[in-house]
Amino acid sequence: MNAVEIKEFSTWYGKGEILHNIDLSFRNNSITAVIGPSGCGKTTLLRSINRTAELESGFKSQGDIQVFDNSIYQVKDVSAVRRQVGMVYQTPAVLPLSIRENVLFGPRYYGEKGRSRLDSIVEKQLTRVALWEEVKDRLNRPADKLSGGQKQRLAMARVLAIEPQVLLLDEPCSSLDPASTGLIEELLQKLAAELSIIIVTHNLYQARRIAGETVFLLDGSLVEKGLTSEIFSSPADERTRGFVSGLYG
Amino acid sequence: MKKRIVSDYILTGFFWASGLFVLLVLAAILMYIIWRGGPSISMEFIFGSPAGYPLGSEGGIWPAIIGTLRLVLLALIFAAIPGLITAIYLSEYGGYSSLARSINLLIQSMMGLPSIVIGLFVYALCVVELRWGISLLAGGVALSIMIFPVIVIFSRDALRAVSNEYRLAGRSMGVADTYTLRRLILPRAAPGILAGILLALGYAAGATAPIMVTAAAIIAGSSGVLLEPVMALPYHLYILFNEHMSLDNAYGTALVLVAMLVFVNALALWLQHIQERTNTR
Ligand SMILES: Nc1ncnc2c1ncn2[C@@H]1O[C@H](COP(=O)(O)OP(=O)(O)O)[C@@H](O)[C@H]1O
Ligand SMILES: [Mg+2]
């Protein structure tokens, strides 16, 4: 089953066309990597899938994106779309609250209450991102004291706490050390059992390690999508071959 | 390269020298006021009422202290909430809209309004037209108009200093902007907003012109009735000087006023420091 279905989708910032006529689908319960040189539109693609790209001035789009068969650009309630499709950014966004309240930021807004209910959400979500054991004794401490890797996992827990069905990650490991990166890759593979994960990465080894399928974008156009093993060993397109062998860097 | 370094040294030296000069002037004023006003300070002076002939040549300044506190409190009540709401609009919702730009321009112009003009306006409108008479209420209104732009500008800038990352984090979770504002943005901006309010408070406490024509009396009890005149420290000071009643008491009054202002401003500076430390990362 496809979690996200993109049909003849194009976007503009002002007059500049950023994405050209993209047709693409992302499977549920799997990890898909999006690769391509800087500035090719990877971030714009991700931000289009949870309707946050339109927060930028001058953004326009055409075409259709369906999330679980629901055309999100037809929906009036943007908030519902953003809740369904969570996004984690490159620089870990830790809120100026305690560790516990970071996790509860979304759930409280969406009406969760009651001490034991909230406690169980905190434990469940922190466990999901393999952070519970590390922080369970200091849940009420400010979150900005955590290490970079811990912060990124906390940001993931915050987003996961509103139970999205699709998780978008925009170069989530690019500011992290190899150990933290390894930890996150491991937990993404576990999370893929529950939701659809789309990860933009600059690290081709990372794409190879964790993604079932890989998408290659160039200058705002889809060049090729396929099984990761095939994209890296025998790509159909000459440009893909060039990129994965390090030519486009 | 070498020339550059020499001119850098000269410039740095110049900045240091001017900073030092300002500090010296400030210190000299403070020392002089302490030296001249110190001897008048006593329990009776602070907690007593004006006495002697002419009135004020003896006795204390308690009604003026209370009067100033009441005026300032009233001005804050009138200006703080509308000021904060305006600041929130400007920083969070207005963006580059023409309404926001007009409000910014208006606030900037209000800032440049001479305080005596505000006083005269409130005199014409409230004291005469609305028949409030010279009163605590009219003085509070005049001072609130004077400090409103100060509160708006400080609060707006404190809100703007909070990282956009939090606003984006809230929005990408589908959370309403008001929720993010209440849980993340306002708490982060709170020290800066409070600092602005304190500075405004000090500004109001020291202002003479707006209350001279709207609220202040040479002598008044400390009744606190809104439609009666009040005594106020800066006005009392002005009268003591101007009518040559008692220079000693004038300096004593000045010392009390300055001590209050220094305290309030120091508190404001400290809060501003906290604001800057928490919002620059
Ligand atoms: N807010 C914006 N306004 C105008 N142009 C933008 C904006 N954001 C990104 N762009 C442009 O869109 C193109 C794609 O950017 P992006 O999606 O961030 O690429 P990537 O993530 O692949 O590096 C770039 O040329 C960039 O300059
Ligand atoms: Mg990017």
Side-chain angles (χ1 to χ4, degrees):
Chain A
M1 176 178 183
N2 286 332
V4 178
E5 192 97 47
I6 301 179
K7 292 175 183 158
E8 298 179 12
F9 191 77
S10 305
T11 67
W12 294 261
Y13 284 122
K15 289 213 157 46
E17 193 177 2
I18 307 299
L19 297 176
H20 315 284
N21 206 22
I22 304 272
D23 278 291
L24 198 53
S25 58
F26 296 93
R27 276 210 283 226
N28 195 16
N29 302 119
S30 72
I31 301 179
T32 308
V34 177
I35 59 172
S38 282
C40 71
K42 304 182 294 297
T43 298
T44 307
L45 179 70
L46 281 199
R47 294 189 67 194
S48 298
I49 303 176
N50 76 339
R51 291 195 59 180
T52 52
E54 66 205 54
L55 295 172
E56 305 297 324
S57 65
F59 178 83
K60 268 196 325 245
S61 68
Q62 201 180 62
D64 190 25
I65 296 183
Q66 295 183 347
V67 175
F68 292 101
D69 296 330
N70 190 11
S71 289
I72 60 169
Y73 281 84
Q74 313 292 332
V75 171
K76 286 254 159 47
D77 181 11
V78 186
S79 155
V81 174
R82 293 178 187 161
R83 187 181 177 184
Q84 192 183 16
V85 185
M87 176 144 180
V88 172
Y89 296 88
Q90 183 171 357
T91 35
V94 159
L95 307 180
L97 301 167
S98 66
I99 295 170
R100 177 184 157 88
E101 287 305 318
N102 259 273
V103 179
L104 292 178
F105 183 75
R108 279 189 195 278
Y109 175 78
Y110 289 109
E112 297 289 359
K113 45 174 125 18
R115 178 93 204 171
S116 61
R117 173 81 185 124
L118 296 177
D119 282 347
S120 80
I121 292 176
V122 172
E123 178 168 355
K124 177 182 170 200
Q125 301 303 338
L126 289 175
T127 307
R128 259 174 128 186
V129 298
L131 197 56
W132 174 251
E133 286 304 322
E134 291 165 54
V135 302
K136 66 178 183 204
D137 299 322
R138 44 180 171 142
L139 293 174
N140 293 314
R141 299 263 198 79
D144 62 1
K145 297 283 186 296
L146 297 174
S147 74
Q150 290 173 323
K151 280 182 182 168
Q152 191 58 293
R153 280 179 285 147
L154 182 62
M156 290 174 64
R158 169 170 56 74
V159 171
L160 289 171
I162 54 175
E163 302 290 353
Q165 292 171 284
V166 179
L167 183 65
L168 312 172
L169 302 107
D170 193 2
E171 302 184 34
C173 301
S174 62
S175 60
L176 305 184
D177 60 84
S180 303
T181 301
L183 206 53
I184 286 183
E185 288 177 5
E186 210 175 293
L187 69 93
L188 284 179
Q189 281 168 312
K190 285 203 193 106
L191 284 170
E194 308 164 43
L195 31 72
S196 164
I197 295 177
I198 305 173
I199 179 171
V200 165
T201 178
H202 256 133
N203 182 339
L204 298 181
Y205 294 103
Q206 180 168 59
R208 246 179 20 198
R209 279 192 299 265
I210 63 172
E213 292 185 303
T214 293
V215 171
F216 176 52
L217 283 187
L218 190 63
D219 287 337
S221 298
L222 172 68
V223 173
E224 188 169 357
K225 179 198 161 197
L227 292 177
T228 300
S229 52
E230 282 170 13
I231 292 283
F232 282 93
S233 61
S234 52
D237 197 291
E238 200 50 45
R239 293 167 294 174
T240 314
R241 189 188 312 278
F243 184 76
V244 299
S245 62
L247 272 183
Y248 289 96
Chain B
M1 208 54 212
K2 191 131 186 229
K3 229 181 189 163
R4 172 83 176 277
I5 290 172
V6 171
S7 67
D8 273 1
Y9 272 121
I10 294 176
L11 259 184
T12 316
F14 178 74
F15 288 140
W16 271 97
S18 31
L20 209 63
F21 178 73
V22 171
L23 264 183
L24 278 177
V25 171
L26 261 179
I29 294 176
L30 272 180
M31 304 266 266
Y32 184 72
I33 291 176
I34 291 172
W35 175 59
R36 289 295 305 265
S40 321
I41 302 292
S42 66
M43 290 304 266
E44 291 141 69
F45 182 71
I46 291 180
F47 294 107
S49 287
Y53 185 83
L55 206 59
S57 55
E58 285 166 40
I61 56 170
W62 185 242
I65 296 179
I66 291 297
T68 285
L69 291 181
R70 286 210 172 100
L71 280 166
V72 166
L73 193 71
L74 212 53
L76 271 189
I77 291 172
F78 293 149
I81 300 294
L84 187 58
I85 291 173
T86 309
I88 289 174
Y89 171 74
L90 289 177
S91 145
E92 308 297 315
Y93 299 97
Y96 295 101
S97 70
S98 53
L99 177 61
R101 272 185 306 188
S102 319
I103 294 178
N104 269 320
L105 193 71
L106 191 76
I107 298 293
Q108 214 72 40
S109 327
M110 263 179 101
M111 196 72 164
L113 222 52
S115 56
I116 184 68
V117 173
I118 296 175
L120 289 176
F121 169 73
V122 171
Y123 174 80
L125 183 70
C126 301
V127 175
V128 179
E129 204 57 41
L130 297 176
R131 294 162 199 269
W132 292 355
I134 300 282
S135 60
L136 173 58
L137 187 60
V141 169
L143 288 178
S144 73
I145 296 175
M146 189 183 81
I147 64 175
F148 177 76
V150 179
I151 292 178
V152 173
I153 288 174
F154 270 87
S155 310
R156 180 196 68 193
D157 294 350
L159 287 164
R160 280 183 183 165
V162 178
S163 168
N164 256 329
E165 190 184 42
Y166 306 138
R167 298 182 180 93
L168 182 61
R171 284 177 165 187
S172 17
M173 291 170 77
V175 155
D177 285 353
T178 45
Y179 179 77
T180 307
L181 182 70
R182 181 166 61 79
R183 294 225 40 209
L184 305 177
I185 313 294
L186 275 178
R188 288 294 271 194
I193 292 172
L194 268 178
I197 288 179
L198 282 176
L199 285 174
L201 192 151
Y203 183 35
T208 321
I211 57 168
M212 203 155 69
V213 292
T214 54
I218 293 178
I219 184 73
S222 43
S223 67
V225 178
L226 283 177
L227 290 180
E228 276 179 13
V230 282
M231 288 184 70
L233 282 173
Y235 185 69
H236 187 62
L237 178 57
Y238 167 75
I239 294 295
L240 289 181
F241 258 115
N242 212 33
E243 315 285 320
H244 303 290
M245 292 210 244
S246 161
L247 268 191
D248 287 342
N249 279 358
Y251 279 111
T253 310
L255 181 54
V256 171
L257 182 58
V258 167
M260 283 165 62
L261 294 184
V262 165
F263 174 73
V264 166
N265 286 340
L267 208 59
L269 273 182
W270 177 68
L271 284 169
Q272 239 173 352
H273 170 72
I274 291 184
Q275 161 89 15
E276 269 157 31
R277 209 184 44 200
T278 50
N279 288 307
T280 42
R281 278 197 294 150

